[in-house]
Amino acid sequence: MRAPPPRSKAPLAERDFLAALPAMNTTATVLAVLWVLRNEPMDMRPLGRYPDRHFTEPRARLQLRRFRRRLR
């Protein structure tokens, strides 16, 4: 808000209400930031779900299976 909150419960004139709202570019910037923060990255993977090419050794694959069981 660009203006302090009203001190009384009296109705506001439309121009007073519009003057209190943030500038349109400020609102657009805030909405853009919120949109970016709420969206999950496209390369995000759930915990324990990794491509098999990362774990090729038998011991590592066993540990990963155990880890996934514990997550379930």
Side-chain angles (χ1 to χ4, degrees):
M1 304 283 292
R2 291 186 292 176
R7 295 179 184 228
S8 68
K9 298 247 182 200
L12 288 174
E14 183 178 352
R15 68 179 161 74
D16 295 330
F17 175 75
L18 292 175
L21 293 176
M24 189 169 14
N25 62 340
T26 303
T27 304
T29 301
V30 168
L31 288 175
V33 168
L34 291 174
W35 186 84
V36 168
L37 291 176
R38 78 165 180 83
N39 284 324
E40 296 177 353
M42 296 298 182
D43 62 346
M44 189 183 98
R45 289 186 185 92
L47 186 60
R49 300 288 174 210
Y50 312 107
D52 288 336
R53 69 179 181 272
H54 291 307
F55 301 99
T56 56
E57 299 86 10
R59 184 170 169 91
R61 294 177 68 84
L62 175 66
Q63 292 296 328
L64 185 57
R65 280 195 302 274
R66 287 180 181 166
F67 180 64
R68 286 178 180 166
R69 274 197 304 264
R70 288 180 60 203
L71 285 175
R72 274 186 294 203

